[in-house]
Amino acid sequence: MSRRLSLLSIVLLSFGIASAEEIQGDLVIGEDTVMEGKELVINGNLVIEEGKTLTIRNSEITINSRYKNEYWIRIRPNATLIVENSKLYEGLKQGINEVWIGLNRIRLGETVIATEDESSKLIMKNTISELRVQVDGEVEIDSSRVGIVFWRSLSGKLRAKNSEIGLMHIWFGGGPERIVIKNLKPGSRQNLNLTTSEGGSLSLQDTTVAVSYTHLRAHETSLHLVCRLLLE
C-alpha cells in the first residue's frame, strides 16, 4: 500500500511541475494583454511597455530570481499592471526574510515591481505578493497581502485599503519639510493620510503594517536632511 502511495505522490508531483509554463529570458508585453488562469515561471524580467496594459487574473506568477534585483517587473511610463485574485511569488532562493502578518506568514521578496515614473500604474486586488512594490508612480492595493512596499515622497501615490503589508519603507526626498505621524501601532489595523509638497501621497485605510514603525526613518541626501519623521 505504501509503495502505491509513493508512486501516486511521484505522479502528482510530476504533474504539478509540468503544469507550470516556464519562460527563459525576458517577457516583454508590447500590446494590451490578459493572462487568465496561468501558472507561469519567468526566468527573466517582466516588462510592460509604454502605454500598454497587462492584466493578470486568477493566476500564479513566479519571477525566478536567484539573487537580489536579478530580475524586475518594470511598468514603463503610461503603462498599467492590474493583478486580480492572483499570487506573485519570489524564486526559491535561500535566505529570504519572512514576517508574520496576523496569522499569516509572508516572504519579504527581493524582486521589485517598479512603477518607473509618475505616469506608471499598478492595481492589486485580492492578491498575495511576495515581491517588493516600489511606488514612484500610482499604486492601488486593495484587500491584498504584500511583503514590502517602498514609497517615495517625490512622485509616489499609494492608496492601500483593507490590506496587510509586511514591511514598509517611507523615503522622503526633495525640499525640507516637517511630517508628523501619530498613533500608529505595528500589527494593528490603522488609517493614515499624508501628502508632500512635491506631490506625493500616502493613504492607508484599514490596513495593517507588521513591522515596527520605529524602523521607518527619513533619509539624508548629500545636500541636506530633507525631512524628520516623528513617531509619537
Side-chain angles (χ1 to χ4, degrees):
M1 181 68 176
S2 61
R3 187 174 178 181
R4 288 181 181 177
L5 285 175
S6 298
L7 233 107
L8 179 60
S9 300
I10 292 170
V11 170
L12 289 174
L13 181 61
S14 300
F15 177 79
I17 292 171
S19 66
E21 180 185 353
E22 192 159 350
I23 293 178
Q24 301 295 335
D26 294 350
L27 175 58
V28 178
I29 305 300
E31 58 184 23
D32 293 347
T33 301
V34 176
M35 291 184 183
E36 178 91 36
K38 288 276 190 179
E39 187 176 349
L40 188 62
V41 176
I42 303 173
N43 297 290
N45 300 293
L46 173 57
V47 180
I48 300 100
E49 292 284 34
E50 185 170 353
K52 306 307 177 184
T53 297
L54 170 62
T55 301
I56 298 173
R57 189 178 296 127
N58 302 317
S59 297
E60 294 186 7
I61 308 296
T62 298
I63 306 297
N64 201 22
S65 298
R66 296 163 297 176
Y67 51 84
K68 184 176 181 178
N69 293 335
E70 180 182 16
Y71 302 134
W72 293 57
I73 296 180
R74 296 190 178 276
I75 308 171
R76 300 294 194 202
N78 294 303
T80 300
L81 172 60
I82 302 170
V83 189
E84 299 176 338
N85 305 311
S86 296
K87 297 177 181 178
L88 303 178
Y89 290 128
E90 183 72 57
L92 296 178
K93 60 182 179 292
Q94 301 299 311
I96 293 181
N97 293 323
E98 298 178 335
V99 296
W100 287 91
I101 308 177
L103 299 177
N104 301 302
R105 187 172 65 178
I106 190 167
R107 300 168 82 215
L108 303 179
E110 295 179 339
T111 296
V112 178
I113 306 175
T115 49
E116 292 197 340
D117 77 355
E118 60 186 13
S119 67
S120 308
K121 190 169 185 178
L122 169 65
I123 301 172
M124 196 176 285
K125 295 181 179 180
N126 299 311
T127 287
I128 297 173
S129 175
E130 295 179 345
L131 311 185
R132 299 175 180 229
V133 174
Q134 179 175 304
V135 186
D136 288 313
E138 186 175 348
V139 175
E140 298 178 15
I141 300 173
D142 184 2
S143 305
S144 296
R145 192 159 75 243
V146 181
I148 299 178
V149 174
F150 190 98
W151 174 80
R152 300 176 190 264
S153 65
L154 293 177
S155 60
K157 293 179 174 61
L158 171 65
R159 293 189 298 274
K161 65 179 181 179
N162 191 34
S163 294
E164 298 174 331
I165 298 171
L167 174 64
M168 188 161 183
H169 293 270
I170 297 180
W171 193 328
F172 293 94
E177 190 171 358
R178 179 180 174 87
I179 302 290
V180 179
I181 298 177
K182 295 183 178 182
N183 303 320
L184 296 181
K185 296 181 180 179
S188 63
R189 292 273 170 174
Q190 50 215 344
N191 300 299
L192 168 67
N193 288 283
L194 66 85
T195 58
T196 67
S197 59
E198 294 84 17
S201 61
L202 171 59
S203 173
L204 304 179
Q205 303 298 324
D206 195 25
T207 291
T208 300
V209 179
V211 72
S212 169
Y213 276 89
T214 56
H215 292 167
L216 303 182
R217 56 176 64 91
H219 289 255
E220 290 186 358
T221 70
S222 59
L223 299 178
H224 57 270
L225 179 65
V226 296
C227 174
R228 185 177 180 187
L229 178 62
L230 301 177
L231 303 175
E232 301 178 355

